[in-house]
Amino acid sequence: MKQDMIVILDLGSHENTVVARAIRSLGVYSEIYPHDITATELKALPNVKGVIINGGPNNVIDGVAIDVLPEIYEAGFPVIAAGHDKALCEVKLPEFDNNEEAIKEAVKGFVFETCKAEANWNMKNFVADQIELVRRQVGDKKVLLALSGGVDSSVVAALLHKAIGNNLYCVHVNHGLMRKGESEDVVEVFKNQLKANLIYIDATERFLSKLENVADPEEKRKIIGGEFIRVFEEEARKLDGIEFLGQGTIYPDIVESGTKTAKCVKSHHNVGGLPKDLQFALVEPLRQLFKDEVRACGLELGLPHAMVFRQPFPGPGLGVRCLGAITRDRLEAVRESDAILREEFAKAGLDTKVWQYFTLVPDFKSVGVRDNARSFDWPVIIRAVNTIDAMTASIEHIDWAVLDKITARILKEVPCVNRVCYDLSPKPNATIEWE
């Protein structure tokens, strides 16, 4: 069943994703497109019922104020504008205030009464549509999928497996930047329990040698993303008929990697880090979903609750939590301190309350005392945040007794560490990850 769609045209607003989420929460599908989309391109989109022109402070590019093409108003769709006084449409809304409930109330009449859209956006319909689209795109060819074991890749694996069965080949690359015990868990769940086509590759030395002395976060991300693709290409040459690369790209990845009216926050390995000479066509069935929607999709596909609500983990892994140029001692400090944090959060019941929590180790030392002698060691920084869609995030206020216990264990059990700090910065101004 094809979902009706409300198109949001990005005219420099900070709130495009909030508006899209608000409309989807009404049961109507919504997607965001650039301001300069043509009427022909708009009409080619499936089941469009109406258009919202969403203006905002980023509506000047290279010193010139941008606007939608005049032909958009003549394309035959109902149009309203928000935060854009010069729009030619009759109905205008005030600039949204980042409040999803208020947005729902503001657009409800337009969506259902003016556009006559049906509330048919739900995960059951989404999964059915994506299975059909994947089958149409892939046919009887094979798909290679990077399976990290994280939420996004696990949900993609389940969806693709339902669509194409044994023509899906999952590859788990241990790049030496995994959390403690994680690769072992991936093999146990996907190969031994779910009986998926799983290829395990230990490429620790290969990745760490490529990253040696590389300090710039963007360069690290692109090296890791590029090397991943090379590994997949090598594996694909061992298999017949591999023509597609499956990816767990989700909507926040695309937004943060930059749009026409928003500068790049950080490149994601599955958006900005892909080589230009990529040998595969991409299969990205989750690319228009927010993180909470990905989890709902996983539950609809029948994945275990524990897997669907697993801790988010960036594609570059601990490579972006070992800040600056990666060294093996700091990498181990990140891995061991992160394991302690996860263990203590689980004991305190915080593992189901906090959306994402992790440790990181920066590339500088401080003076301390260990065994009654001067030490010059690394600090460990703890980060714990709550969010719905990863576009904004608030800080979890951890009980002091829990923080004291975590601190004591890290200082005692992790070598070469003499400080533990807690990051209090929300997103924005900070991002969830440090790099």
Side-chain angles (χ1 to χ4, degrees), residues 35-56:
H35 68 281
D36 55 358
I37 189 173
T38 65
T40 300
E41 291 169 335
L42 181 63
K43 290 177 182 179
L45 298 175
N47 289 52
V48 175
K49 294 296 182 180
V51 177
I52 295 177
I53 301 171
N54 201 22

Side-chain angles (χ1 to χ4, degrees), residues 81-339:
H84 182 49
D85 294 334
K86 296 181 180 179
L88 299 178
C89 51
E90 295 180 5
V91 181
K92 299 181 179 66
L93 298 172
E95 187 167 357
F96 296 131
D97 61 356
N98 218 29
N99 184 311
E100 189 171 313
E101 288 303 314
I103 294 170
K104 284 166 62 174
E105 287 302 313
V107 302
K108 186 184 296 183
F110 174 73
V111 170
F112 293 116
E113 295 170 19
T114 305
C115 300
K116 310 297 183 187
E118 292 186 35
N120 54 12
W121 160 246
N122 57 58
M123 276 304 145
K124 184 176 182 179
N125 290 342
F126 174 82
V127 168
D129 282 354
Q130 290 303 317
I131 287 174
E132 178 187 337
L133 290 171
V134 168
R135 287 173 177 167
R136 192 183 307 163
Q137 179 185 6
V138 174
D140 60 355
K141 301 296 191 302
K142 295 182 176 69
V143 177
L144 199 60
L145 172 68
L147 179 54
S148 68
V151 176
D152 301 339
S153 67
S154 297
V155 174
V156 168
L159 196 154
L160 292 179
H161 191 266
K162 185 160 281 193
I164 61 174
N166 288 332
N167 280 342
L168 172 66
Y169 287 80
C170 300
V171 177
H172 176 69
V173 179
N174 181 358
H175 48 20
L177 306 169
M178 303 295 291
R179 289 175 289 203
K180 189 173 183 178
E182 197 146 40
S183 287
E184 293 83 353
D185 290 344
V186 168
V187 172
E188 172 60 26
V189 171
F190 287 94
K191 187 173 184 177
N192 299 341
Q193 296 180 20
L194 300 182
K195 309 301 181 185
N197 288 330
L198 177 65
I199 301 167
Y200 172 78
I201 301 166
D202 187 348
T204 299
E205 294 302 320
R206 175 170 174 171
F207 275 83
L208 293 186
S209 64
K210 290 272 187 182
L211 291 164
E212 191 171 355
N213 298 323
V214 177
D216 180 76
E218 285 294 286
E219 190 177 353
K220 283 200 292 187
R221 285 178 174 271
K222 290 182 178 180
I223 287 173
I224 294 168
E227 201 61 22
F228 255 107
I229 298 301
R230 299 305 173 210
V231 172
F232 293 142
E233 286 178 337
E234 292 168 12
E235 291 306 314
R237 284 193 286 270
K238 301 174 186 177
L239 300 167
D240 293 328
I242 296 286
E243 294 187 12
F244 295 91
L245 178 67
Q247 291 214 125
T249 309
I250 66 174
Y251 200 71
D253 296 342
I254 297 169
V255 173
E256 287 195 333
S257 293
T259 65
K260 290 183 179 180
T261 60
K263 294 181 180 179
C264 173
V265 176
K266 58 184 176 184
S267 294
H268 288 260
H269 73 286
N270 50 0
V271 179
L274 296 174
K276 294 180 180 179
D277 59 344
L278 184 66
Q279 300 297 310
F280 309 108
L282 296 180
V283 181
E284 301 175 301
L286 307 182
R287 66 179 288 114
Q288 291 296 342
L289 294 188
F290 296 99
K291 196 71 176 191
D292 59 318
E293 294 171 334
V294 174
R295 297 188 196 281
C297 183
L299 293 177
E300 178 66 32
L301 288 162
L303 286 175
H305 186 276
M307 183 179 295
V308 170
F309 286 89
R310 192 174 188 174
Q311 268 281 290
F313 195 51
L318 300 183
V320 292
R321 295 177 182 172
C322 185
L323 306 184
I326 297 170
T327 59
R328 295 182 189 238
D329 56 350
R330 284 193 302 113
L331 185 58
E332 272 315 295
V334 176
R335 199 184 328 267
E336 292 299 323
S337 60
D338 181 78

Side-chain angles (χ1 to χ4, degrees), residues 381-385 393-398 400 403 421-428 430 434:
I381 299 168
I382 296 172
R383 187 141 172 79
V385 299
S394 59
I395 301 304
E396 177 67 20
H397 295 173
I398 306 298
W400 280 112
L403 283 177
C421 307
Y422 191 69
D423 182 353
L424 294 171
S425 312
K427 176 183 180 179
W434 274 47

